[in-house]
Amino acid sequence: SQQGEEDPQALSIQEGENATMNCSYKTSINNLQWYRQNSGRGLVHLILIRSNEREKHSGRLRVTLDTSKKSSSLLITASRAADTASYFCATLPKGGNNRLAFGKGNQVVVIP
Amino acid sequence: GAGVSQSPSNKVTEKGKDVELRCDPISGHTALYWYRQSLGQGLEFLIYFQGNSAPDKSGLPSDRFSAERTGGSVSTLTIQRTQQEDSAVYLCASSYRTGEKAFFGQGTRLTVV
């Protein structure tokens, strides 16, 4: 089964609003990553947070990680129409295989 | 090259034919992944290469699927006797080290008719 499970699956917001999406996972991890995908093609890496980190920022992105709850959230502040995309979390499990396991993704639509 | 390159971008093939999908990773990246994505779905892991180690093939859905990585660089994913359920976008990614930031190609959209 997939490691990451994003919630909610689809989100529609007005430009300028904040968008928050969550990801939960099942096993211990080394790191968790968020990716964006436009038009069903290649994914673009957004941010990586390690298991010993609790929060990370990159521009308008803020990621939190709660290893006790095995969950992460991605916040996009002051959203723009160009943020319309699918967002995926991916986890690197600890002590085992080295594959990045992706969740099903969140579809975010930012309405101008 | 500047990024991960995949070819072809699109492939339409008849059921029962074999197809080869190619991935050129970023030079110097030791890790290479293949994923499959069906319409509106998440990424399904297929296979992972790391340096000279034996690949992790545990995600390959059947023995019709195989992949190799020659000289630690270019990788080819081969699907034999294609079926309609093989239709998907096949994505390749590479990273400098295992589990670090992955760079994705634009994918190959495979349609089996």
Side-chain angles (χ1 to χ4, degrees), chain B residues 30 43 45 50 57 59 61 102:
Chain B
T30 61
L43 274 68
F45 168 79
Q50 170 59 47
K57 303 180 181 180

Side-chain angles (χ1 to χ4, degrees), chain B residues 2-113:
Chain B
V4 177
S5 177
Q6 290 188 247
S7 60
S9 296
N10 293 282
K11 175 73 176 177
V12 179
T13 190
E14 291 181 352
K15 179 181 171 181
K17 300 279 190 184
D18 298 352
V19 294
E20 279 190 357
L21 312 180
R22 178 187 169 106
C23 173
D24 281 273
I26 294 172
S27 178
H29 280 194
T30 61
L32 186 147
Y33 302 84
W34 282 98
Y35 291 89
R36 177 169 72 174
Q37 186 178 32
S38 299
L39 187 63
Q41 299 298 309
L43 274 68
E44 176 189 3
F45 168 79
L46 296 177
I47 189 168
Y48 160 70
F49 296 90
Q50 170 59 47
N52 296 321
S53 302
D56 178 354
K57 303 180 181 180
S58 59
L60 295 177
S62 77
D63 58 8
R64 296 186 296 105
F65 288 73
S66 63
E68 61 178 23
R69 187 178 185 191
T70 54
S73 181
V74 171
S75 177
T76 302
L77 177 68
T78 301
I79 309 173
Q80 295 178 309
R81 305 180 302 280
T82 52
Q83 303 294 312
Q84 287 185 327
E85 60 262 29
D86 300 333
S87 296
V89 175
Y90 289 80
L91 292 162
C92 173
S94 70
S95 62
Y96 181 66
R97 279 195 300 256
T98 298
E100 296 295 321
K101 173 181 177 179
F103 294 79
F104 278 80
Q106 288 301 299
T108 294
R109 185 180 300 280
L110 176 66
T111 304
V112 182
V113 297

Side-chain angles (χ1 to χ4, degrees), chain A residues 6-71:
Chain A
E6 293 89 349
D7 174 57
Q9 297 295 309
L11 184 63
S12 183
I13 58 173
Q14 294 290 328
E15 199 165 33
E17 292 181 340
N18 295 342
T20 300
M21 57 208 90
N22 300 305
C23 168
S24 60
Y25 55 92
K26 295 182 173 64
T27 63
S28 296
I29 60 170
N30 277 316
N31 69 53
L32 184 144
Q33 304 176 36
W34 285 92
Y35 290 80
R36 184 185 72 223
Q37 183 181 41
N38 293 89
S39 306
R41 286 299 187 130
L43 280 72
V44 174
H45 182 271
L46 296 176
I47 199 164
L48 181 153
I49 186 165
R50 301 191 188 279
S51 59
N52 61 352
E53 298 175 309
R54 291 298 166 258
E55 188 171 311
K56 208 159 183 182
H57 297 253
S58 177
R60 294 183 296 112
L61 304 179
R62 174 176 167 255
V63 168
T64 61
L65 179 64
D66 187 335
T67 52
S68 67
K69 295 180 180 177
K70 292 187 169 58
S71 68

Side-chain angles (χ1 to χ4, degrees), chain A residues 88-106:
Chain A
F88 292 85
C89 72
T91 52
L92 180 69
K94 191 175 278 188
N97 66 69
N98 288 315
R99 69 179 84 155
L100 276 175
F102 283 80
K104 293 183 172 56
N106 264 299

